[in-house]
Amino acid sequence: MLTLECLGNVKSPVHLPDYNPLDIKAGIVHFGVGNFFRAHEAFYIDKILKTEPDWGIIGVGLTKGDHSSKKAALFHAQDCLYSLTECAPTEDRSVRIIAALRDYLLAPQNPQKVLEHLSNPDIRIVSMTITEGGYNINETTGMFDLSNPDVQSDLQNPENPQTVFGYVVEGLRRRRAAGTKAFTIMSCDNLRHNGDVTRKAFLGFAQARDPELADWIARNATFPNAMVDRITPTVTADIAKALNTASGLEDDLPVVAEDFHQWVLEDNFANGRPDLAKAGVQFVTDVTDYEHVKIRMLNASHIMLSFPAILLGYAHVDQAVKDAALKQNVENFLTRDVIPTLKAPPGVSLQHYMQSVLSRFSNPAMADQTLRIASDGCAKIQVFWTQTVRDLLLGHKDCSRIAFGMAAYLEMLRGINAQGQTYTTSEPAYTAEQEALVHSDDYAAGLKLPAFDAWRDLESSALDQKVIELRKIIRTQGVLAALATLPT
């Protein structure tokens, strides 16, 4: 097991922290301590702690259950240490031990301790990776969804919250009462204008709880927009064993990521920030063009590749991108449907970016799971494809490729691939009525699912008919036959 006590026994070439973890104080509370956070935000923070030791991180988990309890126990047993293995497409790799996470709290076990940290003046940033669908925004109304049962519980029991919204707003209420400055609320999720979405969500909750408190938060807290990028696959037991064999460590919480990483961050902080520019973060006044490129090219093509790849039986992204037909479809999608309507940030070539994306997908060391990429596809489609779909429909352009992606998504939801093997998709909890749409023999039924809500205000009958046509071909002749019908 990896602990502070055993750091002295770690052998080269594993890189150790260049600071004493015991000297680090917490300046950040982070909700959602998953692999991406550990390979991204914590990785960047780790790089600056030698010179800025007041920016350590307190991690918070919100979910109940045996898995969550086991995860919390492992963090505590390992003194919140873990190894990060960075892998290049050339198969070069490096391993470092990250010590930026200085405590981990499972909120259902100790909610008051979480609130104590949020009230502490030393905490100046609250960050989160709660997934694209975690912000509780009703896609039809565009507003914070107050009907959510957990949200209702928090509004009725504000001092014993369950949601991230309840915790953060109660923490801010206590800071206001104590005369303490508000903190920055920073999203690290793959959302367009993620800071703006975060502001809408937290102020929506706060307004329902206490309009005066909401006004104070609006005036004193900030919600910077950010673009985050790093491919970080799930670590299975077999992958963890292989990582430890290669590193010589006994780490129960190893993480693996590609060697590429990027963080473009709006310089909009309420209560100070670390000098993350020293770690490679790009601070800008407007992240819009950067996030559009990343979301509409990398993220959009990731699911465009993975939905049909699952149907073909490809478990990993690098296998899928080696399929010439799937790769060509992604290239056509980016070149013909996406790039013509994108504005490149200064110094960025969109063609070079596309080639970089395909190279990153081909990295065999990632063994990135297509099912992981396809998980929560409903939310991802709305975030990653909406602008492209709307541009195509408004411009009366060919919609064949996006229709193929939609058809592949709907067929993927049925849970059986071309070899007759079954698998389990990770989607939000559909209602019984929506589950019936997923499994209906009517090829048009699935078009009523919420994944496609974001362009219902536009004339889309031709797109819908194309989806139906391609679903029939996929179901009866296979994915490759459907691809063969698309314009070249």
Side-chain angles (χ1 to χ4, degrees), residues 107 130 133 141 202 207 264-265 316 324 347:
I130 55 176
T141 65
F202 284 91
Q207 184 69 32
V264 183
L265 186 54
H316 299 134

Side-chain angles (χ1 to χ4, degrees), residues 396-461:
H396 305 288
K397 302 291 180 61
D398 175 52
C399 291
S400 298
R401 285 167 290 275
I402 204 72
F404 169 79
M406 292 167 60
Y409 167 71
L410 292 172
E411 288 300 302
M412 181 209 70
L413 290 180
R414 294 168 63 84
I416 184 167
N417 66 21
Q419 291 77 41
Q421 299 165 326
T422 59
Y423 53 84
T424 301
T425 60
S426 178
E427 285 293 302
Y430 280 135
T431 64
E433 182 180 358
Q434 289 168 339
E435 282 290 343
L437 296 176
V438 168
H439 297 288
S440 172
D441 288 331
D442 179 359
Y443 291 109
L447 291 167
K448 298 176 184 177
L449 289 171
F452 314 124
D453 283 350
W455 52 87
R456 294 202 192 279
D457 59 314
L458 301 179
E459 166 54 44
S460 61
S461 57

